[in-house]
């Protein structure tokens, strides 16, 4: 069951971030643009979530409208941070038209992508 967290960050309507908990796993819900203009807010939010809840993290990218290479680099950084600390990391609901950079770079073949939150949670439990 997901518990909604009160913490939200907004950047002039470009990006809205919120988090919820699925058991002990933090789920970050991303809505909007992930690019140079929102990178710092995204980075700060992910850092705070990891510091508060530990290395297990799921990013719900279903409402991302655009992602650039800087945002992808930040996602890769947090993936590495999670796995280095012995945690699990997953991306869910990634939409190709809005996240093409993942496929162009080949990272879609390496990052743990799942269609749904339930699939990611099942992979964490395995």
């Amino acid at each position: 069951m997901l518990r909604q967290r009160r913490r939200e960050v907004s950047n002039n309507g470009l990006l809205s971030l919120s988090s919820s908990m699925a058991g002990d796993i933090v789920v970050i819900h991303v809505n909007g643009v992930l690019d140079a203009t929102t990178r710092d807010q995204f980075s700060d939010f992910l850092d705070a979530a990891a510091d508060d809840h530990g290395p297990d993290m799921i990013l719900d990218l279903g409402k991302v409208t655009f992602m650039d290479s800087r945002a992808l680099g930040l996602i890769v950084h947090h993936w590495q941070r999670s796995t280095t600390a012995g945690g699990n990391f997953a991306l869910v609901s990634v939409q190709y038209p809005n996240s093409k950079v993942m496929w162009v770079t080949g990272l879609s073949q390496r990052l743990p992508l799942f269609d749904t939150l339930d699939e990611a949670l099942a992979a964490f439990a395995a």
Side-chain angles (χ1 to χ4, degrees):
M1 172 167 277
L2 290 178
R3 292 188 325 261
Q4 195 66 28
R5 188 166 183 214
R6 287 172 270 154
R7 179 181 213 155
E8 288 202 26
V9 175
S10 180
N11 181 13
N12 298 326
L14 295 176
L15 179 64
S16 174
L17 300 163
S18 63
S19 63
S20 58
M21 298 300 295
D24 293 336
I25 301 165
V26 65
V27 181
I28 308 297
H29 307 275
V30 184
N31 185 350
V33 175
L34 291 176
D35 67 5
T37 64
T38 60
R39 185 187 186 287
D40 289 341
Q41 290 81 13
F42 187 43
S43 177
D44 292 346
F45 197 87
L46 293 179
D47 285 341
D51 291 345
D52 290 349
H53 302 289
D56 290 333
M57 182 180 289
I58 296 174
L59 300 183
D60 180 348
L61 302 179
K63 294 184 179 177
V64 168
T65 57
F66 175 79
M67 179 189 303
D68 73 3
S69 60
R70 289 182 183 139
L72 181 57
L74 184 59
I75 290 169
V76 168
H77 167 75
H78 277 275
W79 170 44
Q80 292 170 334
R81 178 179 175 177
S82 288
T83 56
T84 299
N88 294 295
F89 184 89
L91 305 174
V92 298
S93 302
V94 178
Q95 305 296 313
Y96 172 79
N98 306 326
S99 305
K100 289 179 189 172
V101 67
M102 242 184 249
W103 279 263
V104 170
T105 61
L107 285 168
S108 64
Q109 301 300 313
R110 302 206 50 212
L111 288 165
L113 302 177
F114 298 91
D115 290 334
T116 67
L117 177 60
D118 286 340
E119 289 175 8
L121 292 170
F124 281 24

